[in-house]
Amino acid sequence: MDEQSVESIAEVFRCFICMEKLRDARLCPHCSKLCCFSCIRRWLTEQRAQCPHCRAPLQIRELVNCRWAEEVTQQLDTLQLCSLTKHEENEKDKCENHHEKLSVFCWTCKKCICHQCALWGGMHGGHTFKPLAEIYEQHVTKVNEEVAKLRRRLMELISLVQEVERNVEAVRNAKDERVREIRNAVEMMIARLDTQLKNKLITLMGQKTSLTQETELLESLLQEVEHQLRSCSKSELISKSSEILMMFQQVHRKPMASFVTTPVPPDFTREEGRGRER
């Protein structure tokens, strides 16, 4: 089908209202003209209830829905595109001087020419000619060979990229593994520090308990003596003084040196061979 025939058929499938390609096509039941649904609906609602082409009375409900029209217009678009492409290709392969199809390759000039240039042009006398199709096939073969080489090169590059990506993944995994090792080591060190802290606190709390008990004993004794001093008469105090002094002597029998505690060092030692980074 030539370009003119395709264009003639395409005109049939244009909306007679907007003159554009049909969209959601509808058909007038009186004159069988095609139009866009939006165009005819606007006409019937805003202008008058009759077909704008044949003037017959018309209601929206009477319109015939032509779903097949969209398929036809798509096929026409494809035909028009193919026709345009073929026309452009034909125009490119025409001789500038004679407007004839290029069909000969002048081997001497390395140029594509038409048969009139080869026979009557006068510029290619005594030159060597070859069929254009044969030379074209040779060039296509060479280009395809180079394309194949480029594809192989592309595949090699893609393979190298994948290798680098695998390397990146391996480096990231190694880093994550090292982080896990460090975290485990830190957790073990913290656990050992907690154990050391617990032992130190046990020692210190024992010292504190012992001193607190002695302090409470002395406070109780002092309160008792002070109470005796305030409440006893002179004679009673004299009679109890030997007992009071005896209690004092019992307290002093335990020297202060026995209460002096050995300081617990505030530093925390680290076991050799553990927690050391590689």
Side-chain angles (χ1 to χ4, degrees):
M1 186 179 294
D2 57 20
E3 182 179 356
Q4 186 175 1
S5 299
V6 174
E7 187 63 30
S8 298
I9 297 175
E11 287 298 325
V12 176
F13 287 91
R14 291 184 185 276
C15 173
F16 71 86
I17 298 176
C18 67
M19 300 307 295
E20 297 292 337
K21 185 172 65 175
L22 289 169
R23 297 185 301 275
D24 194 8
R26 295 293 190 275
L27 182 142
C28 173
H30 305 290
C31 63
S32 299
K33 281 290 185 178
L34 292 168
C35 57
C36 302
F37 179 61
S38 59
C39 294
I40 190 64
R41 180 177 59 186
R42 184 175 180 181
W43 172 271
L44 295 176
T45 55
E46 296 182 7
Q47 299 297 326
R48 49 187 175 273
Q50 65 180 27
C51 174
H53 182 264
C54 66
R55 307 300 180 183
L58 181 64
Q59 299 294 327
I60 294 179
R61 65 177 180 274
E62 297 177 295
L63 295 169
V64 179
N65 190 355
C66 301
R67 297 185 179 90
W68 50 267
E70 183 176 356
E71 297 180 4
V72 175
T73 54
Q74 289 177 354
Q75 293 297 327
L76 287 172
D77 290 342
T78 303
L79 289 173
Q80 287 177 324
L81 180 61
C82 292
S83 177
L84 179 61
T85 303
K86 185 176 181 180
H87 177 73
E88 291 177 349
E89 290 177 354
N90 290 335
E91 288 297 321
K92 290 179 181 178
D93 281 343
K94 282 189 176 181
C95 175
E96 296 178 356
N97 297 324
H98 304 101
H99 300 288
E100 295 286 341
K101 183 178 179 180
L102 300 176
S103 58
V104 181
F105 183 77
C106 178
W107 191 260
T108 305
C109 298
K110 305 297 181 184
K111 184 178 179 181
C112 300
I113 60 177
C114 69
H115 68 283
Q116 290 195 38
C117 290
L119 295 175
W120 317 111
M123 298 178 59
H124 300 278
H127 290 186
T128 301
F129 304 109
K130 290 189 177 183
L132 183 63
E134 178 184 338
I135 301 301
Y136 171 76
E137 290 299 328
Q138 293 176 3
H139 281 76
V140 168
T141 301
K142 290 181 180 179
V143 171
N144 286 334
E145 290 175 354
E146 292 300 321
V147 167
K149 292 179 181 179
L150 289 178
R151 290 190 183 280
R152 288 194 295 270
R153 183 182 179 87
L154 175 62
M155 295 305 296
E156 292 175 0
L157 289 173
I158 291 175
S159 177
L160 291 174
V161 169
Q162 292 174 346
E163 185 177 341
V164 172
E165 289 177 347
R166 287 192 294 270
N167 196 348
V168 169
E169 188 66 19
V171 170
R172 287 179 174 170
N173 290 338
K175 176 258 183 182
D176 293 340
E177 180 62 26
R178 187 68 177 127
V179 168
R180 283 192 292 270
E181 291 177 358
I182 293 173
R183 284 177 177 168
N184 291 336
V186 170
E187 289 174 359
M188 292 176 63
M189 292 175 64
I190 292 174
R192 289 194 292 270
L193 290 174
D194 288 340
T195 300
Q196 292 183 41
L197 175 62
K198 182 179 179 181
N199 294 334
K200 291 177 182 292
L201 291 178
I202 290 174
T203 301
L204 290 170
M205 293 308 295
Q207 295 176 352
K208 182 179 178 181
T209 299
S210 177
L211 292 172
T212 301
Q213 290 175 350
E214 190 65 22
T215 300
E216 292 174 351
L217 179 62
L218 288 180
E219 288 177 347
S220 176
L221 178 59
L222 287 173
Q223 289 177 1
E224 177 63 24
V225 171
E226 289 174 354
H227 175 71
Q228 295 292 339
L229 289 174
R230 289 193 304 270
S231 61
C232 291
S233 63
K234 294 178 181 178
S235 60
E236 287 176 339
L237 181 61
I238 291 172
S239 63
K240 292 182 178 181
S241 63
S242 59
E243 181 183 348
I244 294 173
L245 292 175
M246 182 65 68
M247 288 189 297
F248 289 164
Q249 289 176 2
Q250 289 177 353
V251 171
H252 288 298
R253 285 196 185 100
K254 194 172 184 180
M256 283 298 299
S258 63
F259 298 109
V260 177
T261 59
T262 303
V264 174
D267 58 324
F268 289 80
T269 59
R270 192 168 99 179
E271 297 180 24
E272 292 296 329
R274 294 187 180 179
R276 183 179 300 168
E277 292 187 5
R278 293 179 296 178

